[in-house]
Amino acid sequence: MSPSHALSRRKFLQSAALASAASMISRPHKSLLASELFGSDSPEAGPLAEVGYGDVSLASSLHEQQLQQTHAVLMELSEDSLLKPFRQMAGQPAPGEDLGGWYRYDPHNQNNLFDSGFAPGSTFGQWVSALARSYAIDQSPATRKKVLRLNRLYAKTISGDFYENTRFPAYTFDKLVCGLIDSHKYAGDPDAFDILAKTTKTALAHLPPKALEHGLRWRSNPDVSYTWDESYTMPENLFLAYQRGAGEQYRDLGVRYLDDVYYDPLAEGRSNLEGRHAYSHVNSLCSAMQAYLTLGSEKHLRAAKNGFDFVAAQSFATGGWGADETLRAPGSPEVYKSLTGSHSSFETPCGSYAHFKLTRYLLRVTRDPRYGDSMERVMYNTILGAKPLQLDGRTFYYSDYNFKARKVYSTNRWPCCSGTMPQVAADYRINTYFQDARGVYVNLYIPSTLKWTQGGAQIELTQKSEYPYDSHVQFEVKASRAAEFAVNLRIPAWAEGAAITVNGKREAASAGSFARLQREWKSGDRIEVELPMKARLEAIDAQHAETVALVVGPMVLFALGDPATVTRAQLLAAKRIGAQGWQIETASGAMKMLPFTAIQDQEYTTYLRVT
Ligand SMILES: [Zn+2]
């Protein structure tokens, strides 16, 4: 054990003691009770609650296509193929076709060959999770049957040999935990917790003793890639397992794997992100948030808040971060350099998945709308424009912010991002609305309906719009009887001059806040929201004020083809052409610009050098 290990072990024991002491006096995840006691405006109010997957229906074709398309791929995958690496690694007969890519097990090709068995079976748990969430949305019996069947088939393969032979025992275990607790909660699998207990008992003997960063050896490894496991992301799902009733041991395990070597400096406001693997460390901030929600640990809340701020400060205008999958020090020139030096600008499905979870936690706990602004930015400018997942394992992985960029599939089939993309697609519903005892929070403007019960009345809130192509959003209330509640609308920080009316009467709205509409609502009540989308320019960093992205409302506009010489004034005078396009008049002619969701295979650039 190195001296730094000895130190972190001591810190770990201290924090575990503090955390368990905190857990005796504070259980903030009993959120609704707290907000009933204190009222939702007081700082003592608990976190906002998530809505149920089935409480929201979306009427946006982009969002729904992504859900239906990823779901269709998962339903189509052969169960023998899905089980194949688990059966092979347990020494069992393994019939059926090999899925290939990262997913396969190839004992003879274990030398860092990404497209041949890099992470066998590692997306299985995420796919089961996505299927369970999808069942929670539409109650399709075929989906539930598939979830239950996959869990039972998987249960027969649980073996220590799997964890011995995979590069990523902690990563794969974390995703299996997620699949099983989601199967319990969303698909009502009565055996999920038993299968989870068996999985946990088996895996634990083959996991590191505590959270370990990349590059640290803790077992005999064939090569360095065996030190790229992500044990520091495990507490989130372990704490969720505890909260959902799987047992006390999961809370203790969550505490054991908290990565305080990473969180402690962040909690003190010091960035230690430089050089760290991007997705997994943003994902690890979700474990810090669960340490706060489960144990009441304020230190971990501070770590997550500060960590988010450091990541936001090094983000591209799209909200994406982590070029070449690496986080940077504050003010690092590397972000700017990546515009010419890299095409791997943002690990889009995994990065979005972590980003949405983290901002969901932060929004729920702080009620600060800037986390909603951030979610919206990442959604429209990255994942919603991802190329669709294909049945042969082709997966959209990196968004490209190079001056000469294209949308492409990963050269590796079934990578990590094929696991997170179906989860992201299922989760748009729970990103859109939140609740507390007094009413609802509208976080995203997506055509949709939320149904809930307020003081015994059945309420439906329906929003309609062409947003973000139109600044106007309309809401209509249906109520089984009149009921008093609050509708809180996120007014983005960029929406200067926002206006709201209820039944034609003007209400207060200011940019960068939740506008609170508290009243007795009845069927037929209407809310009209106007969110002015002024064009603005955002520089890549303070040292390169001449390198800018054009942003309109929540959307970045990407220039097609060879970018012309252009001035700030010309960009800001962008004119709409057609439903989803913009045009810039430059000295050398017209330049077309599109949002990410409208780009197909054309070459584009995110940033332009203005004169
Ligand atoms: Zn990924």
Side-chain angles (χ1 to χ4, degrees):
M1 183 183 269
S2 71
S4 67
H5 273 184
L7 181 67
S8 59
R9 173 82 187 147
R10 208 158 49 235
K11 276 189 181 167
F12 157 72
L13 287 171
Q14 283 168 359
S15 75
L18 283 175
S20 66
S23 71
M24 283 183 247
I25 46 173
S26 169
R27 292 284 169 89
H29 67 273
K30 307 268 188 206
S31 59
L32 281 181
L33 256 187
S35 50
E36 277 158 11
L37 278 173
F38 298 113
S40 59
D41 288 332
S42 82
E44 294 90 340
L48 297 173
E50 287 186 352
V51 297
Y53 285 89
D55 299 339
V56 181
S57 55
L58 294 189
S60 156
S61 58
L62 272 181
H63 295 83
E64 285 301 87
Q65 268 167 25
Q66 201 171 75
L67 175 64
Q68 283 157 19
Q69 202 274 334
T70 53
H71 183 69
V73 168
L74 299 190
M75 291 300 286
E76 192 77 14
L77 288 175
S78 139
E79 288 165 19
D80 276 338
S81 298
L82 287 170
L83 271 301
K84 194 172 179 94
F86 295 98
R87 287 169 172 163
Q88 285 174 309
M89 290 165 86
Q92 298 172 0
E97 223 176 290
D98 199 323
L99 281 186
W102 282 33
Y103 198 83
R104 73 183 303 215
Y105 175 57
D106 182 352
H108 308 298
N109 252 340
Q110 288 285 293
N111 285 322
N112 197 11
L113 294 173
F114 286 90
D115 204 34
S116 182
F118 184 61
S122 63
T123 40
F124 180 87
Q126 293 168 309
W127 289 339
V128 171
S129 156
L131 287 168
R133 292 176 193 187
S134 173
Y135 174 72
I137 291 169
D138 68 5
Q139 309 282 302
S140 151
T143 303
R144 181 170 185 269
K145 276 186 197 146
K146 181 131 183 151
V147 168
L148 268 60
R149 230 171 24 240
L150 284 173
N151 286 340
R152 275 146 196 74
L153 291 170
Y154 155 74
K156 293 183 197 160
T157 72
I158 299 170
S159 82
D161 286 345
F162 176 88
Y163 293 97
E164 274 310 291
N165 287 319
T166 178
R167 285 182 178 78
F168 306 116
Y171 181 99
T172 311
F173 172 66
D174 177 47
K175 307 326 173 212
L176 288 168
V177 174
C178 183
L180 288 163
I181 62 176
D182 282 359
S183 298
H184 167 85
K185 178 163 181 176
Y186 301 120
D189 184 342
D191 293 351
F193 283 170
D194 287 344
I195 302 171
L196 174 64
K198 195 174 164 206
T199 299
T200 304
K201 189 161 183 265
T202 305
L204 271 181
H206 307 274
L207 296 177
K210 64 184 182 67
L212 281 190
E213 295 278 326
H214 278 199
L216 298 174
R217 282 173 70 96
W218 60 278
R219 58 177 185 168
S220 63
N221 295 327
D223 65 59
V224 69
S225 66
Y226 283 72
T227 69
W228 298 345
D229 203 4
E230 298 173 3
S231 49
Y232 46 88
T233 69
M234 292 199 300
E236 182 187 22
N237 284 315
L238 293 167
F239 285 134
L240 282 168
Y242 161 70
Q243 288 172 29
R244 293 179 189 177
E248 290 282 327
Q249 69 152 328
Y250 298 99
R251 190 183 72 161
D252 299 341
L253 283 173
V255 171
R256 188 203 290 185
Y257 285 100
L258 284 172
D259 186 6
D260 284 332
V261 174
Y262 172 47
Y263 302 139
D264 281 341
L266 287 177
E268 292 160 12
R270 287 183 287 124
S271 170
N272 59 359
L273 299 183
E274 184 172 11
R276 281 189 151 88
H277 178 247
Y279 155 55
S280 60
H281 284 86
V282 173
N283 200 24
S284 179
L285 297 176
C286 298
S287 287
M289 284 308 294
Q290 275 298 344
Y292 171 70
L293 290 165
T294 311
L295 310 170
S297 168
E298 295 280 347
K299 176 185 88 173
H300 289 101
L301 174 59
R302 284 198 305 277
K305 275 185 181 172
N306 294 337
F308 172 83
D309 287 345
F310 287 125
V311 171
Q314 62 182 275
S315 293
F316 298 95
T318 59
W321 33 261
D324 299 315
E325 301 198 29
T326 305
L327 295 173
R328 304 295 177 185
S332 165
E334 295 301 325
V335 180
Y336 173 76
K337 283 189 196 163
S338 75
L339 300 182
T340 44
S342 179
H343 290 275
S344 307
S345 309
F346 175 47
E347 187 188 349
T348 300
C350 290
S352 302
Y353 185 60
H355 196 100
F356 291 153
K357 283 190 298 150
L358 178 60
T359 44
R360 219 155 56 218
Y361 285 130
L362 287 166
L363 176 61
R364 287 173 54 206
V365 167
T366 65
R367 305 181 184 217
D368 185 336
R370 74 194 175 97
Y371 299 116
D373 291 5
S374 174
M375 277 167 125
E376 176 176 62
R377 187 178 277 240
V378 169
M379 182 178 74
Y380 285 119
N381 300 308
T382 79
I383 185 66
L384 204 56
K387 289 167 90 74
L389 182 67
Q390 301 288 342
L391 194 53
D392 62 6
R394 274 176 298 158
T395 304
F396 188 76
Y397 195 114
Y398 293 120
S399 291
D400 184 353
Y401 307 139
N402 196 285
F403 287 114
K404 287 184 179 301
R406 278 188 202 279
K407 279 187 187 175
V408 293
Y409 281 113
S410 170
T411 51
N412 308 306
R413 287 171 299 146
W414 304 120
C416 49
C417 289
S418 69
T420 40
M421 192 155 172
Q423 293 181 297
V424 168
D427 285 356
Y428 289 128
R429 285 161 167 75
I430 63 165
N431 296 339
T432 304
Y433 298 97
F434 296 86
Q435 281 178 299
D436 68 6
R438 295 188 173 189
V440 298
Y441 281 69
V442 179
N443 182 47
L444 297 178
Y445 296 104
I446 300 175
S448 57
T449 298
L450 172 69
K451 294 182 185 180
W452 80 101
T453 305
Q454 188 83 41
Q458 311 293 316
I459 314 290
E460 281 184 40
L461 183 67
T462 296
Q463 56 164 314
K464 291 180 184 164
S465 71
E466 296 296 322
Y467 184 96
Y469 295 100
D470 184 4
S471 56
H472 191 77
V473 185
Q474 193 180 80
F475 290 84
E476 192 168 326
V477 176
K478 268 194 203 167
S480 60
R481 59 177 168 74
E484 177 155 349
F485 57 89
V487 176
N488 299 277
L489 301 169
R490 181 178 58 86
I491 310 299
W494 46 258
E496 286 300 335
I500 297 177
T501 62
V502 176
N503 299 332
K505 188 171 159 283
R506 191 73 180 251
E507 298 279 345
S510 58
S513 73
F514 274 103
R516 184 177 183 80
L517 308 173
Q518 167 115 27
R519 53 181 278 140
E520 188 177 79
W521 297 94
K522 58 184 189 323
S523 278
D525 284 343
R526 288 164 77 91
I527 307 168
E528 311 277 342
V529 185
E530 183 64 31
L531 300 168
M533 296 193 188
K534 218 171 111 186
R536 58 198 192 276
L537 301 176
E538 294 190 4
I540 181 76
D541 61 30
Q543 287 73 46
H544 301 92
E546 81 297 343
T547 303
V548 300
L550 174 61
V551 189
V552 175
M555 280 190 304
V556 173
L557 299 181
F558 299 77
L560 298 188
D562 250 345
T565 306
V566 67
T567 67
R568 287 174 192 276
Q570 286 166 346
L571 279 176
L572 290 170
K575 272 206 308 273
R576 277 292 278 279
I577 46 157
Q580 303 189 349
W582 276 260
Q583 189 162 295
I584 310 293
E585 301 301 337
T586 76
S588 52
M591 179 173 71
K592 194 175 180 196
M593 299 190 82
L594 290 177
F596 199 58
T597 49
I599 293 174
Q600 303 297 321
D601 296 316
Q602 311 96 313
E603 189 173 280
Y604 65 88
T605 181
T606 313
Y607 285 89
L608 291 154
R609 292 199 168 102
V610 287
T611 54

